Amino acid sequence: MSGFGDYELERKLGAGGMGEVYLARRRADSTRVVLTRVLRGLAPEFDERFLHEVRVLARLAHPNIVRVLDFGDQPTWFLVMEHVAGEDLAARLSRGALSLPELATVALGAARALEAAHGLRDAAGRATPVVHRDLSPHNLLL
């Protein structure tokens, strides 16, 4: 497809009002990643909000939360996160209902991730809870 800094974009996964999301490979080691490229020309306060969100995401370390691998601003803001092979809950539900054990597994994983986010603390040990504002079947990876 094309390059973007240290990454080779393979295909577009989606787009929204704030950016575009790509499946990509890190050139240094061919690791598959998900790269979000922020659109240019957004409101000036967006930059600070984006940086704050990335800093918080980078501090989250939990098996049920996708890790931040890289971010920067060349030539526009971007965020690189680990790629999780598989599908999201919305795609899975499009094929039919989950069994009770599958549903319990998904719900427990999501609850554990939210518990980690809500229990986040800063370097001084002060609570800095995170509220996920876009918890949806599209954002739950199986």
Side-chain angles (χ1 to χ4, degrees):
M1 187 174 188
S2 69
F4 184 86
D6 296 334
Y7 303 92
E8 189 67 31
L9 304 180
E10 292 184 353
R11 67 182 164 93
K12 187 184 262 188
L13 298 174
M18 294 175 34
E20 301 169 321
V21 180
Y22 294 89
L23 182 62
R25 286 200 184 267
R26 188 169 40 207
R27 289 187 172 128
D29 59 10
S30 295
T31 299
R32 188 168 262 170
V33 298
V34 173
L35 185 145
T36 300
R37 184 168 58 183
V38 177
L39 298 174
R40 294 177 192 244
L42 298 173
E45 64 271 8
F46 173 80
D47 288 354
E48 189 55 41
R49 196 171 55 217
F50 175 76
L51 285 174
H52 174 74
E53 201 165 301
V54 168
R55 286 182 188 116
V56 169
L57 282 171
R59 292 181 30 236
L60 291 171
H62 190 273
N64 295 93
I65 299 175
V66 177
R67 292 179 302 134
V68 171
L69 303 174
D70 192 10
F71 75 97
D73 65 349
Q74 322 170 355
T76 184
W77 287 113
F78 69 94
L79 171 66
V80 178
M81 299 182 85
E82 71 180 315
H83 174 257
V84 176
E87 64 184 340
D88 62 45
L89 181 58
R92 171 57 187 82
L93 289 173
S94 72
R95 297 194 319 273
L98 297 175
S99 68
L100 193 53
E102 289 172 320
L103 179 60
T105 298
V106 171
L108 183 59
R112 286 179 173 156
L114 289 170
E115 177 184 40
H118 292 175
L120 189 65
R121 298 194 170 277
D122 66 15
R126 293 181 300 255
T128 57
V130 175
V131 176
H132 194 301
R133 297 178 300 195
D134 192 17
L135 188 60
S136 69
H138 290 285
N139 288 329
L140 292 173
L141 305 176
L142 308 177

